[in-house]
Amino acid sequence: MFAIEQLPHAASPEDDWIVLVRAPEGLTVVRAVRPLDSGERWIGFYSGATAHGLDVPGMLSAIVKPLAEAAIPVFVASTSRADLVLVPQQRKEQAVIVLEEAGHQVEGGDGEADDLFGSRY
């Protein structure tokens, strides 16, 4: 599971981050949930098993569009080869159904520390 935090520009995140994005409004940090965290928790779907180049159009939209149509919020971070799509933990089962109905194969993951990215699509 993941937590998403917004920090001020001068902040220095701890070493447990997965994604860092510095933008005009500050630093966005995606990290694994800590045991005492009480905020919203997110589950990750990761396309690393189906890596793609930057020249392949539509990969991310094929995942995000069905989730949007089902009114499931997402937070996305991308690399040059894969995408990490986060959905609120309480919407995981619905997200899996929506993705499978859209033709994606969702492989299990329990979201524990040894499988940090949860499900793979």
Side-chain angles (χ1 to χ4, degrees):
M1 280 183 269
F2 299 91
I4 300 170
E5 299 176 329
Q6 183 69 31
L7 303 175
H9 280 288
S12 180
E14 294 184 30
D15 289 338
D16 61 347
W17 58 269
I18 304 296
V19 176
L20 291 176
V21 178
R22 189 170 305 278
E25 66 274 6
L27 182 65
T28 300
V29 179
V30 176
R31 61 171 175 75
V33 171
R34 297 178 188 132
L36 299 177
D37 281 349
S38 61
E40 187 168 24
R41 294 170 184 240
W42 297 73
I43 296 294
F45 293 90
Y46 184 63
S47 65
T50 56
H52 56 83
L54 292 174
D55 59 344
V56 180
M59 296 292 288
L60 182 57
S61 65
I63 301 302
V64 175
K65 183 179 181 201
L67 295 171
E69 290 172 347
I72 299 173
V74 300
F75 182 91
V76 178
S78 297
T79 71
S80 62
R81 300 228 175 241
D83 304 299
L84 173 62
V85 178
L86 303 179
V87 300
Q89 176 188 14
Q90 68 271 20
R91 306 289 296 272
K92 178 184 177 183
E93 290 181 30
Q94 182 187 10
V96 169
I97 291 168
V98 165
L99 291 172
E100 289 178 341
E101 287 177 351
H104 298 286
Q105 179 179 354
V106 179
E107 297 175 7
D110 56 16
E112 297 299 323
D114 61 334
D115 188 15
L116 194 54
F117 294 107
S119 300
R120 286 158 174 49
Y121 62 85

